[in-house]
Amino acid sequence: MEDFKKGAMSSLRLIDNTANPSPLGLMGFGMTTVLLNIHNAGYYELNTMVLAMGIFYGGIAQIIAGIMEWKKNNTFGTTAFTSYGLFWLTLVGLLLMPNQGLGTATSKVAFAAYFFMWGLFTFVMFIGTLRINRALQVVFLTLTILFFLLAARDYFGSVAIGTLAGYEGIICGLSAVYAALAQVLNEVYKKVVLPLGPV
């Protein structure tokens, strides 16, 4: 009887019936990135719409997606969504905290270091996408370029690089929106409606 129980336990398989959290994380990242970079491209001021998106959709929604990816045993998804959710919260914090008397405003050189480190992290994550799909490769490659452009903008104080970063960031954000909606539609229709380019 004991041998039977041991055999039954060793062959136990759990079925994961939870939803795919990746579209939520990609939408939170993508839409917030597009809206911030429309500002960076010079079309409107940095306003509460961008900051609220940074806190709630870019920040909290991505953290939730990261926790859900952890539940699915996806180290890449957990690391990516949780990290970028916290990126948005730290970015909003850097912009708002000095106005509340919580520390001094971040210098341009410090912002350049901040964006450079995020660019370095994103480049390593891009290497991880080489084993996933083409859609995520585009997202992470364009995000790497975006972070390095933002670092260069702040380090050199260049308006032109900032504007270029804005347009490049819009492309990056839209690529994430595409990757998110492709997963949603492909799952709903149970066929490839929008290709992700598996490798």
Side-chain angles (χ1 to χ4, degrees):
M1 189 66 176
E2 284 299 319
D3 290 339
F4 174 77
K5 288 181 180 177
K6 287 179 182 177
M9 290 301 289
S10 67
S11 64
L12 179 66
R13 297 288 183 268
L14 296 178
I15 299 173
D16 182 0
N17 289 321
T18 57
N20 177 10
S22 183
L24 170 63
L26 286 166
M27 284 302 298
F29 168 79
M31 287 180 59
T32 309
T33 299
V34 168
L35 293 171
L36 173 62
N37 282 286
I38 293 173
H39 154 71
N40 286 338
Y43 287 95
Y44 48 65
E45 74 289 348
L46 184 62
N47 52 43
T48 53
M49 176 272 290
V50 175
L51 297 176
M53 284 290 289
I55 293 169
F56 297 105
Y57 205 29
I60 295 172
Q62 279 201 91
I63 292 170
I64 292 169
I67 294 168
M68 293 169 70
E69 291 283 13
W70 168 79
K71 180 76 172 172
K72 287 184 167 289
N73 196 30
N74 182 350
T75 301
F76 183 93
T78 299
T79 304
F81 291 134
T82 307
S83 295
Y84 293 119
L86 291 167
F87 160 77
W88 281 110
L89 293 181
T90 60
L91 181 61
V92 172
L94 288 170
L95 297 172
L96 293 184
M97 286 169 65
N99 295 336
Q100 306 303 314
L102 300 172
T104 57
T106 304
S107 68
K108 292 294 185 183
V109 173
F111 259 122
Y114 172 78
F115 288 124
F116 178 83
M117 289 306 299
W118 278 104
L120 187 61
F121 166 72
T122 303
F123 175 71
V124 176
M125 295 297 283
F126 163 71
I127 295 172
T129 66
L130 299 177
R131 297 294 301 272
I132 304 176
N133 62 54
R134 303 293 182 211
L136 284 182
Q137 289 171 22
V138 172
V139 173
F140 279 81
L141 180 60
T142 56
L143 182 57
T144 299
I145 294 167
L146 174 60
F147 278 132
F148 287 140
L149 283 174
L150 291 173
R153 174 200 68 183
D154 288 339
Y155 186 78
F156 296 109
S158 172
V159 174
I161 294 176
T163 302
L164 175 62
Y167 286 108
E168 200 276 346
I170 293 169
I171 293 168
C172 173
L174 289 175
S175 71
V177 170
Y178 172 88
L181 295 180
Q183 291 181 59
V184 172
L185 293 179
N186 293 349
E187 182 178 315
V188 168
Y189 285 93
K190 298 191 172 28
K191 65 179 182 178
V192 177
V193 177
L194 296 173
L196 291 166
V199 294

